[in-house]
């Protein structure tokens, strides 16, 4: 899943430069050209990182940063500063910026800095902790599962089974394979325990358990999780 970076800058030529280089590196971008809009956007959407210019109309970068942190939003922030601007690194970092970059900067430096921040912040809350299959969303960080935006209750085994199936989406998995991976031991013989748990999962996920859209039975072999769309 592609990560999205919010670019906050009022100078069109710099916006273009940022947008071009960030998108070339495989990210999606959104742009805000003033501080108030930046705060508004940060509340509407979960960004993977914000590149935030210090000098902005309506609300300066420092205040934007402070406001975002006041919202308890932990999105990584890379602050952009101009050489002639009086910018105190320490207070910038105290306001909650993760790093800063002085203009003019090379595109290579910018991208390297973005990657470094994403690595450092562990991308813990990034999209990689979210698996989406059709209307099912699994949040691996919080151990929660949502179906059409409503949380569904799963037992621990059901959850583990679903995550394993989801991580192996579109792959046919044998009962033995599921048993040894999800139940943590090589169970010789009775694999009906897998069928029972699959049955429980279907009851919670499928509209019609007799004609499942998500968890397909592969006759004589095992199961496969598919995106119905
Ligand atoms: Ca500016």
């Amino acid at each position: 899943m592609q990560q999205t970076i919010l670019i906050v800058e009022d100078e069109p030529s710099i916006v273009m430069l940022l947008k071009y280089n960030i998108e070339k590196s495989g990210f999606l971008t959104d742009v805000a050209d003033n501080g108030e809009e930046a705060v508004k956007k940060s509340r509407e959407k979960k960004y993977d990182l914000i590149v935030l210019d210090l000098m902005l109309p309506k609300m300066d970068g420092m205040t934007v940063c402070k406001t975002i942190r006041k919202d308890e939003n932990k999105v990584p922030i890379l602050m952009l500063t101009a050489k002639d601007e009086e910018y105190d690194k320490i207070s910038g970092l105290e306001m909650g910026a993760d790093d800063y970059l002085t203009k003019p900067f090379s595109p290579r430096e910018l991208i390297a800095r973005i990657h470094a921040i994403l690595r450092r912040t562990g991308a813990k809350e990034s999209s990689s902790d979210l698996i989406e299959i059709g209307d099912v969303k699994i949040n691996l960080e919080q151990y929660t599962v949502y179906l059409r935006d409503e949380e569904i209750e799963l037992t621990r085994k059901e959850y583990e089974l679903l995550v394993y199936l989801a991580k192996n989406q579109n792959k046919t998995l044998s009962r033995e394979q599921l048993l040894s991976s999800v139940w943590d031991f090589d169970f010789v013989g009775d694999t009906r325990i897998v069928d029972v748990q699959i049955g429980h999962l279907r009851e919670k996920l499928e509209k019609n358990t007799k004609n499942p859209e998500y968890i397909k039975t592969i006759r004589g072999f095992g199961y496969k999780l598919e995106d119905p769309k």
Side-chain angles (χ1 to χ4, degrees):
M1 211 183 282
Q2 271 180 299
Q3 293 180 305
T4 307
I5 294 184
L6 176 64
I7 298 167
V8 188
E9 166 67 279
D10 55 315
E11 216 167 298
S13 63
I14 299 182
V15 171
M16 269 180 55
L17 176 82
L18 288 167
K19 202 169 147 62
Y20 173 77
N21 286 290
I22 291 173
E23 287 180 357
K24 212 175 75 180
S25 304
F27 298 98
L28 300 170
T29 60
D30 264 353
V31 176
D33 65 5
N34 68 69
E36 280 176 10
E37 203 194 331
V39 169
K40 189 167 162 263
K41 289 203 151 150
S42 77
R43 287 175 177 156
E44 286 167 356
K45 191 169 164 181
K46 201 170 183 319
Y47 291 99
D48 295 286
L49 188 139
I50 298 179
V51 176
L52 178 62
D53 189 40
L54 185 60
M55 298 295 269
L56 291 166
K58 293 189 184 172
M59 189 193 273
D60 67 80
M62 238 11 155
T63 313
V64 171
C65 191
K66 220 161 64 181
T67 309
I68 288 173
R69 292 301 181 239
K70 235 189 222 157
D71 285 347
E72 309 222 333
N73 185 341
K74 295 193 181 85
V75 59
I77 295 174
L78 174 63
M79 199 76 108
L80 295 183
T81 69
K83 257 206 177 113
D84 53 358
E85 283 167 2
E86 288 229 357
Y87 175 70
D88 182 350
K89 295 173 215 168
I90 305 298
S91 57
L93 298 177
E94 270 174 5
M95 288 309 157
D98 293 87
D99 204 353
Y100 67 97
L101 193 58
T102 309
K103 290 193 245 179
F105 49 83
S106 73
R108 238 183 88 191
E109 199 181 351
L110 166 79
I111 300 304
R113 211 59 82 83
I114 288 174
H115 283 299
I117 296 175
L118 288 174
R119 254 199 320 275
R120 212 170 54 222
T121 53
K124 267 212 156 175
E125 303 191 24
S126 84
S127 44
S128 61
D129 284 325
L130 196 71
I131 304 179
E132 277 191 72
I133 298 155
D135 291 324
V136 178
K137 287 195 187 93
I138 309 170
N139 187 324
L140 299 173
E141 179 78 4
Q142 290 165 0
Y143 303 97
T144 48
V145 178
Y146 291 84
L147 177 64
R148 286 179 287 278
D149 293 324
E150 262 185 63
E151 189 171 355
I152 53 172
E153 296 284 327
L154 296 180
T155 65
R156 201 181 134 188
K157 269 297 158 236
E158 288 163 4
Y159 174 81
E160 289 170 358
L161 180 59
L162 179 63
V163 169
Y164 189 77
L165 286 165
K167 284 185 172 170
N168 292 285
Q169 205 183 141
N170 299 322
K171 265 189 234 161
T172 301
L173 303 164
S174 70
R175 289 176 175 77
E176 289 77 13
Q177 202 175 340
L178 288 168
L179 201 55
S180 67
S181 307
V182 179
W183 275 263
D184 289 332
F185 54 75
D186 289 310
F187 199 100
V188 186
D190 201 350
T191 55
R192 265 177 308 179
I193 185 168
V194 176
D195 302 324
V196 170
Q197 294 294 342
I198 291 281
H200 291 160
L201 265 183
R202 279 178 174 156
E203 270 163 34
K204 293 177 181 180
L205 295 178
E206 306 283 0
K207 281 184 188 143
N208 177 2
T209 52
K210 295 215 172 69
N211 185 20
E213 296 178 293
Y214 290 98
I215 305 173
K216 307 276 191 187
T217 302
I218 309 301
R219 202 175 273 277
F221 196 77
Y223 298 99
K224 174 164 85 169
L225 183 68
E226 279 181 353
D227 188 335
K229 286 169 191 167

